């Protein structure tokens, strides 16, 4: 399958924005001491930059082999994160932000695997056209692995739809619309109390605005950094990656 150049350019521009925003997110989280998934933000930087380069090879100076090694390491990292999550929180548990579950890391494992697949399967552009690749039908033995990209597409679109449907849970306060919060033991000078316990407002459908202000002033609680923008970036990446995989079928 092929797509018009303007559509590739549009998706590439969106991915550049995601990569730049995710880079700024990492800096802002450190400067403002705000909680965020550092590894996920870093993965968004890599994936956004890589997909932009796939869609518009002229803007990607990095050899494909470097990207393949990078995404292989990213796959290994998210396998480790899934294992660590299960050992610490169990299969049904929640992450430290009390919102994300194991599926959060499984989805990013799938995304990293999809990126690696696209680099291994995509068509290399002619010499002199840049360091990236041309999007097109999968080549070599990967052309026979039709079910693999289809599985990637199903997971990506399901994750994007789920994230879009639940984005309201990050709205400021309100019944049934919790904010993800994280207790900072270091800032409080002690151990972090359990979610919903003394000193930490519950995130299960209660209005957190007054409690949040009180605990932020005491240094015990800091709000998650721009969760709705984080979700928006995830949705954009799922749509773009799914679009690219469809082109390779």
């Amino acid at each position: 399958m092929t797509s018009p150049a303007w559509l590739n350019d549009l998706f590439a521009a969106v991915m550049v924005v995601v990569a730049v925003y995710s880079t700024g997110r990492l800096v802002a989280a450190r400067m403002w001491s705000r909680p965020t998934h550092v590894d996920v933000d870093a993965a968004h930087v890599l994936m956004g930059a890589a997909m932009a380069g796939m869609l518009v090879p002229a803007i990607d100076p990095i050899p494909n082999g470097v990207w393949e090694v990078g995404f292989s390491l990213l796959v290994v990292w998210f396998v480790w994160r899934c294992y660590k999550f299960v050992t610490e929180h169990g299969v049904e548990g929640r992450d430290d932000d009390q919102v994300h579950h194991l599926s959060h890391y499984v989805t990013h494992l799938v995304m990293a695997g999809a990126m690696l697949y696209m680099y291994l399967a995509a068509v290399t552009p002619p010499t002199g056209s840049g360091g990236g690749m041309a999007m097109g039908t999968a080549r070599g033995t990967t052309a026979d692995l039709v079910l693999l990209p289809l599985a990637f597409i199903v997971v990506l679109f399901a994750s994007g739809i789920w994230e879009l449907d639940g984005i309201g849970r990050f709205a400021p306060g309100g019944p049934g619309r919790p904010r993800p919060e994280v207790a900072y033991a270091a800032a409080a000078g002690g151990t972090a109390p359990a979610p919903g316990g003394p000193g930490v407002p519950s995130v299960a459908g209660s209005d957190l605005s007054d409690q949040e202000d009180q605990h932020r002033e005491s240094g015990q609680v800091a709000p998650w950094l721009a969760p709705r923008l984080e979700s928006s970036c995830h949705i954009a990446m799922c749509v773009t990656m799914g679009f690219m995989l469809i082109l390779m079928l």
Side-chain angles (χ1 to χ4, degrees):
M1 295 179 65
T2 58
S3 62
W6 66 266
L7 188 56
N8 285 1
D9 293 343
L10 177 61
F11 275 112
V14 172
M15 288 301 96
V16 169
V17 170
V18 169
V20 171
Y21 168 74
S22 299
T23 302
R25 184 181 178 85
L26 288 168
V27 175
R30 185 172 182 82
M31 291 178 59
W32 300 337
S33 297
R34 298 279 291 277
T36 184
H37 293 110
V38 175
D39 53 355
V40 170
D41 290 336
H44 285 180
V45 173
L46 293 177
M47 293 179 187
M51 283 192 282
M54 288 183 187
L55 291 163
V56 184
I59 66 174
D60 184 8
I62 300 176
N64 294 346
V66 175
W67 285 117
E68 291 169 10
V69 171
F71 286 114
S72 296
L73 294 175
L74 202 59
V75 167
V76 173
W77 172 255
F78 279 114
V79 168
W80 163 249
R81 288 292 282 164
C82 290
Y83 169 77
K84 186 178 179 182
F85 182 95
V86 172
T87 58
E88 292 181 355
H89 305 284
V91 176
E92 301 296 331
R94 292 185 178 183
D95 206 349
D96 293 334
D97 62 3
Q98 295 304 308
V99 172
H100 293 98
H101 299 264
L102 174 62
S103 59
H104 180 66
Y105 295 108
V106 172
T107 300
H108 282 85
L109 171 60
V110 171
M111 294 172 76
M115 292 298 302
L116 181 59
Y117 168 82
M118 287 193 289
Y119 270 102
L120 294 174
V123 178
T124 304
T127 304
S129 60
M133 63 174 61
M135 294 307 302
T137 305
R139 57 178 168 81
T141 57
T142 54
D144 299 325
L145 301 177
V146 178
L147 292 181
L148 183 59
L150 283 176
F152 287 146
I153 292 169
V154 170
V155 173
L156 290 168
F157 285 165
S159 177
I161 293 170
W162 182 89
E163 197 75 27
L164 179 62
D165 179 67
I167 201 169
R169 70 189 185 276
F170 298 119
R177 307 180 77 180
R179 275 181 177 174
E181 304 281 336
V182 171
Y184 273 117
T191 58
V200 179
S202 171
V203 296
S206 61
D207 191 341
L208 303 176
S209 56
D210 294 337
Q211 298 179 58
E212 178 188 298
D213 291 339
Q214 294 173 6
H215 290 285
R216 187 185 295 115
E217 290 174 1
S218 68
Q220 289 183 304
V221 176
W224 199 259
L225 179 61
R228 281 173 287 184
L229 285 176
E230 180 184 16
S231 292
S232 299
C233 288
H234 180 76
I235 293 167
M237 295 190 71
C238 286
V239 172
T240 303
M241 199 175 295
F243 163 76
M244 294 168 67
L245 286 165
I246 290 173
L247 292 181
M248 299 179 68
L249 292 178

